[in-house]
Amino acid sequence: MANFRVLVSDPISEQGLASLLEAEEVTVDIRTDLTPDTLLQVIGSYDALLVRSQTKVTAEVIQAGVNLRAIGRAGVGVDNIDVTAATQRGVIVINAPDGNTISTCEHTFAMLLSLARKIPQAHGRLKAGDWDRKSFVGVELNGKTLGILGFGRIGSEVAKRALAFNMRVLAYDPFLTRERAEKLGVIMSSIEEIVEGADFITVHTPLIKETKHLLSSEQFARMKPGVRVLNCARGGIIDEAALVEAVQSGKVAGAALDVFEVEPATLANRLVQLDEVIITPHLGASTEEAQINVAIDVGRELLHILRDQSFKNA
Ligand code: NAD
Ligand code: MLT
């Protein structure tokens, strides 16, 4: 029987990876402390590499992975993997597109409510011993317009929850049809209609050439004064420098960010320092359920690839 070697180089739920860990013909090495140099040294002896988002699977890593047949990403975004280099070398890249949809949607909704009611700011003030009720007057979601840019798995789940909060939901996605919009109770809109008409704007696209700085100074200038924006998708979809200016000028009343142009984000990022901006360190998919789900999905498909069986990918 063949013996396949799989390297897991980021923390990934072992419960979710059970099918891989228990497969007789597979040896799994979990090594989450590898430096980029060590990864380059060891990758040559593995048939598959399994990562979350920390490991940067560069063209160099793929080149050094002379036996690599597949790279699995326990999550949605494959932007930490050089997919072009992998494709050129015939290495299959798979992800787990469904397993963290609900967790990321719920995180977005938690951010939406926190942003509207300034909960993180009020929490911080009271923890510092200051009973301040005047500084934290918020706004209701009820009756407000939410604009969703990117109406895929997460965007459409966010819409369902917003409708339950009695929000009016505008959605833009190049693949959205009028029938689907009507079925889900949202208003199919252009980017311009969302930018000019929404009280809250949330982005749920991948980060690709077309979506880089989808919201930039030009769009901020056309937004309603007091608009609030959210990004729980990928850093760079909103132009961070333009957002800083829009918040400082008062045009944008607040922002909620789970993702950043440079991660980990530090105090050097001006958005981290602005009171009106609430932030989390890329926690959208960080629930017990999502981490088990994505590990199950990617582990199963990786096993299919190693066994030369048909496999599913996004
Ligand atoms: P998805 O593929 O289901 O949906 C993305 C949608 O964006 C698609 O419907 C696509 O048609 C649309 N789109 C593409 N280009 C567009 C454009 N130019 N303008 C508007 N829409 C466009 O993906 P998803 O699972 O909903 O994930 C959405 C984003 O969230 C991705 O960037 C993903 O990496 C990110 N994500 C983040 C976390 C987190 O931890 N914060 C967790 C999961 C996913
Ligand atoms: C994803 O793309 O799935 C997210 O970045 C979630 C993650 O793995 O942290």
Side-chain angles (χ1 to χ4, degrees):
M1 187 184 288
N3 182 29
F4 302 117
R5 296 193 69 204
V6 176
L7 173 63
V8 178
S9 63
D10 285 331
I12 294 174
S13 161
E14 289 187 34
Q15 186 184 338
L17 288 182
S19 65
L20 206 58
L21 292 166
E22 287 160 13
E24 271 181 47
E25 74 273 46
V26 180
T27 306
V28 180
D29 289 338
I30 300 177
R31 300 183 65 183
T32 54
D33 55 353
L34 294 175
T35 63
D37 281 346
T38 321
L39 176 61
L40 280 176
Q41 284 161 24
V42 301
I43 193 68
S45 58
Y46 289 98
D47 301 281
L49 172 64
L50 199 41
V51 301
R52 192 173 164 188
S53 53
Q54 287 94 317
T55 301
K56 305 297 168 223
V57 191
T58 59
E60 228 185 335
V61 172
I62 291 161
Q63 220 50 50
V66 287
N67 292 309
L68 268 188
R69 289 173 58 192
I71 300 166
R73 158 73 159 102
V76 181
V78 288
D79 30 70
N80 55 319
I81 301 169
D82 191 328
V83 179
T84 312
T87 309
Q88 278 164 1
R89 279 234 25 245
V91 177
I92 300 165
V93 178
I94 54 166
N95 66 351
D98 304 301
N100 61 29
T101 301
I102 298 301
S103 290
T104 310
C105 159
E106 289 183 357
H107 192 76
T108 307
F109 222 81
M111 293 291 258
L112 181 60
L113 286 163
S114 302
L115 183 61
R117 300 304 297 270
K118 306 184 183 177
I119 290 170
Q121 295 92 332
H123 170 92
R125 189 71 61 85
L126 186 51
K127 285 275 181 179
D130 192 0
W131 182 266
D132 175 5
R133 298 178 69 215
K134 284 197 296 293
S135 305
F136 302 113
V137 176
V139 291
E140 288 185 353
L141 299 186
N142 180 47
K144 298 290 188 322
T145 299
L146 173 69
I148 302 182
L149 297 173
F151 204 68
R153 294 176 182 85
I154 298 167
S156 54
E157 289 296 331
V158 170
K160 289 184 200 165
R161 285 146 184 85
L163 291 168
F165 272 72
N166 199 32
M167 298 187 88
R168 180 173 165 260
V169 179
L170 311 182
Y172 169 74
D173 189 300
F175 295 102
L176 179 61
T177 60
R178 202 159 291 283
E179 294 69 44
R180 181 152 187 267
E182 268 169 25
K183 195 169 158 213
L184 292 175
V186 304
I187 302 163
M188 187 169 143
S189 309
S190 63
I191 298 188
E192 292 71 28
E193 285 165 335
I194 288 178
V195 161
E196 290 170 12
D199 302 296
F200 293 84
I201 300 176
T202 183
V203 297
H204 297 286
T205 69
L207 177 65
I208 48 177
K209 195 162 46 62
E210 294 77 16
T211 60
K212 173 125 203 261
H213 294 179
L214 189 62
L215 297 183
S216 196
S217 20
E218 193 198 323
Q219 285 75 35
F220 286 124
R222 287 161 42 208
M223 287 179 194
K224 281 185 174 179
V227 63
R228 290 171 171 83
V229 299
L230 298 94
N231 185 0
C232 292
R234 277 291 176 275
I237 299 171
I238 300 180
D239 178 345
E240 289 188 351
L243 179 58
V244 169
E245 273 181 33
V247 170
Q248 283 178 331
S249 72
K251 181 68 183 254
V252 169
L257 306 174
D258 184 46
V259 288
F260 301 86
E261 288 184 356
V262 176
E263 294 183 10
T266 66
L267 287 171
N269 183 330
R270 283 184 293 163
L271 289 166
V272 173
Q273 300 196 23
L274 290 174
D275 283 345
E276 297 85 348
V277 180
I278 66 171
I279 50 174
T280 47
H282 203 142
L283 293 183
S286 292
T287 63
E288 292 166 14
E289 294 86 351
Q291 287 314 304
I292 293 172
N293 291 342
V294 293
I296 290 175
D297 291 348
V298 80
R300 181 189 57 235
E301 298 311 318
L302 210 52
L303 207 46
H304 287 165
I305 294 172
L306 293 174
R307 288 174 172 165
D308 283 326
Q309 295 167 341
S310 62
F311 63 94
K312 214 171 60 188
N313 199 14

